[in-house]
Amino acid sequence: MSDQDQNNEQLENEQQDAEVVNNEAEVQSEEIDAIAHIAQLQAELAEAKATIEGQKDSVIRAAADNDNIRRRAAIDVEKAHKFALEKFANELLPVIDNLERAVEFSDKENEALKPLIEGIELTQKSFIDAVAKFGVELVNPQGEKFNAEFHQAMSMQPSEDVEPNTVIAVMQKGFTLNGRLLRPAMVMVSKAP
């Protein structure tokens, strides 16, 4: 082989080596690009997962808020149905009081008034029964322990006959509507002598 052939062969080998080095560099560059791309995709995936978790939390909170609103609305509607008659019932209480006073202060010994008194008593009873159908209940605490939720103490009187804090007289009966106080009973309460 001549020097020129050797030089050509050496040149070809160097070119092949250079191509191999270039190819390896390209492969390494592509691997680096692929790794960077994978890292970028993983970061985007993590970000998407965080967004999804945040949205899940938002959806759960919105559903809970919706349930709370629905529950509150149902309670409000129930209260509206239960207590819609409150103003009307309050207007009827003086009528019941007047019927009771008419019976209480009438002359029961007068034979001519007995049928009239009996009629007022029956009217009073039927009136109380009628309002009871709509949830209006009488509070007559005579002889019971004083309860500030349903009774209004007008005075206190020393008494040895009953325990302290016992209702010994009812000046005006109270009323409730479906368990809610319409008017407290006005009472006299006993105290220790």
Side-chain angles (χ1 to χ4, degrees):
M1 238 196 241
S2 70
D3 281 338
Q4 193 172 3
D5 285 341
Q6 276 183 342
N7 281 342
N8 281 343
E9 193 176 310
Q10 189 178 10
L11 190 60
E12 280 180 29
N13 282 342
E14 285 177 6
Q15 284 178 347
Q16 285 177 353
D17 286 346
E19 282 181 26
V20 168
V21 168
N22 280 343
N23 286 343
E24 285 179 4
E26 284 180 24
V27 167
Q28 281 182 344
S29 174
E30 287 177 7
E31 285 179 3
I32 290 172
D33 287 346
I35 290 171
H37 187 67
I38 289 172
Q40 179 187 357
L41 290 175
Q42 286 176 339
E44 289 175 3
L45 178 63
E47 185 180 324
K49 283 182 178 179
T51 302
I52 288 171
E53 286 301 316
Q55 289 177 347
K56 276 184 186 176
D57 188 47
S58 296
V59 168
I60 290 170
R61 287 178 190 271
D65 283 346
N66 193 20
D67 287 345
N68 288 339
I69 289 169
R70 190 177 298 121
R71 201 173 309 119
R72 261 188 247 116
I75 289 170
D76 289 347
V77 167
E78 180 183 337
K79 283 183 180 178
H81 283 112
K82 259 184 160 179
F83 303 112
L85 296 175
E86 188 169 2
K87 287 182 182 178
F88 180 67
N90 271 323
E91 294 299 319
L92 295 178
L93 299 184
V95 176
I96 294 171
D97 292 338
N98 290 335
L99 288 170
E100 187 174 329
R101 278 189 212 102
V103 171
E104 186 179 334
F105 294 115
S106 62
D107 184 9
K108 294 179 179 76
E109 302 302 319
N110 188 339
E111 289 296 321
L113 293 179
K114 281 196 177 187
L116 180 64
I117 295 169
E118 190 177 309
I120 294 173
E121 286 173 341
L122 290 173
T123 303
Q124 178 190 15
K125 183 184 178 329
S126 67
F127 197 77
I128 290 173
D129 291 344
V131 295
K133 290 177 186 175
F134 295 96
V136 177
E137 297 293 328
L138 185 66
V139 177
N140 186 8
Q142 183 70 39
E144 297 177 5
K145 278 286 195 195
F146 177 76
N147 180 349
E149 289 182 32
F150 296 102
H151 311 147
Q152 181 178 352
M154 301 306 289
S155 65
M156 294 188 81
Q157 184 173 358
S159 175
E160 295 178 3
D161 300 336
V162 293
E163 292 182 30
N165 262 359
T166 301
V167 175
I168 54 176
V170 178
M171 286 98 158
Q172 186 179 47
K173 294 176 183 168
F175 289 89
T176 60
L177 175 63
N178 294 315
R180 181 192 283 179
L181 187 66
L182 283 177
R183 181 181 77 192
M186 294 184 193
V187 298
M188 182 183 297
V189 182
S190 66
K191 67 178 181 178

